[in-house]
Amino acid sequence: MKRLIKALCTISFLVYAMGLTGCANQTATEQISAQTKDPAAIAKAIYLDSLAVYNDALTTYLPYVELVKESNPAAAKMIYDKFMQADAVLQDFKRWSQRGLPGNMDQKNFRALIRDLSIEIAKQIDKGGQ
Amino acid sequence: MVAPVSPILDAVIAVNIIADLILKFKDFGIEVNLENIASKIAEQEAAREHNISQLNEKMGAST
């Protein structure tokens, strides 16, 4: 449980830090959509948001990989596979962004995938810390 | 009187809320516009490559 609290503190700090910086907490998609209706630009913004969310989740997990791997190798492998699954979706997003087709990029499902992955990671960190 | 809740359940709910906050409040520190979006993507792509490399290294032979 102590490790989960540590993870929560880390994540909370990230949220806090992100809230302190930047321009009114707008995503790239919101910012670019406010500037243009060009689908090619909006597609790039969606790809950028998705990349950033993916990197945040991965960066948060990296310090705990060994802990999860030691306590539950199967879970570590499952988390790894999910990151690779999300990475494959990102590569699809990259292709769609290059073709200027934002309608083909299911950002909502991608965010749900990363969100579920983050929750799974927190659960495994909690188990590993007990 | 409020029924006692499992600490694990509490923690999972907390993580759920924080994960939502991260996804809701994600921003880029500076303004993203039509001129700098390509460089922002390049920065994030470089970070992705570095992060995946680190993950593969930490997972070692088990991958």
Side-chain angles (χ1 to χ4, degrees), chain A residues 2 5 7 9 32 39 41 47 51 62 72 75-76 79-80 95-96 101 105 107 110 112 115-116 128:
Chain A
K2 274 194 281 185
I5 291 167
C9 290
I32 294 296
Y47 175 51
L51 265 173
L62 281 174
N72 189 341
I79 290 169
Y80 176 85
R95 281 188 284 276
W96 294 126
L101 296 169
M105 302 155 79
Q107 192 179 23
F110 182 77
R115 179 177 167 279
D116 292 347

Side-chain angles (χ1 to χ4, degrees), chain A residues 11 47 80 87 111 115, chain B residues 16 18 23 45 48 56:
Chain A
I11 295 168
Y47 175 51
Y80 176 85
D87 193 68
R111 283 172 173 255
R115 179 177 167 279
Chain B
N16 217 322
I18 289 168
L23 297 182
E45 285 182 332
R48 172 193 153 270
N56 283 333

Side-chain angles (χ1 to χ4, degrees), chain A residues 4-108:
Chain A
L4 178 61
I5 291 167
K6 188 180 172 188
L8 287 174
C9 290
T10 304
I11 295 168
S12 299
F13 176 78
L14 280 174
V15 173
Y16 175 70
M18 287 188 292
L20 287 178
T21 58
C23 36
N25 294 324
Q26 282 192 316
T27 62
T29 307
E30 288 167 342
Q31 291 183 60
I32 294 296
S33 296
Q35 295 169 40
T36 181
K37 299 295 175 201
D38 177 15
I42 292 169
K44 283 180 186 171
I46 292 172
Y47 175 51
L48 177 55
D49 277 332
S50 304
L51 265 173
V53 167
Y54 179 80
N55 278 328
D56 278 348
L58 196 42
T59 305
T60 305
Y61 177 52
L62 281 174
Y64 300 102
V65 175
E66 286 96 345
L67 174 75
V68 175
K69 199 176 158 188
E70 279 175 24
S71 65
N72 189 341
K77 180 70 167 66
M78 184 265 289
I79 290 169
Y80 176 85
D81 289 343
K82 284 196 173 185
F83 269 118
M84 293 302 108
Q85 181 191 345
D87 193 68
V89 176
L90 262 185
Q91 297 314 303
D92 286 341
F93 277 20
K94 182 176 184 175
R95 281 188 284 276
W96 294 126
S97 73
Q98 288 167 340
R99 294 179 193 178
L101 296 169
N104 289 18
M105 302 155 79
D106 193 343
Q107 192 179 23
K108 193 176 174 184

Side-chain angles (χ1 to χ4, degrees), chain B residues 23-38:
Chain B
L23 297 182
K24 185 176 178 183
F25 290 112
K26 176 65 197 163
D27 71 69
F28 295 89
I30 64 164
E31 185 182 354
V32 178
N33 54 45
L34 298 172
E35 284 71 42
N36 71 9
I37 192 168

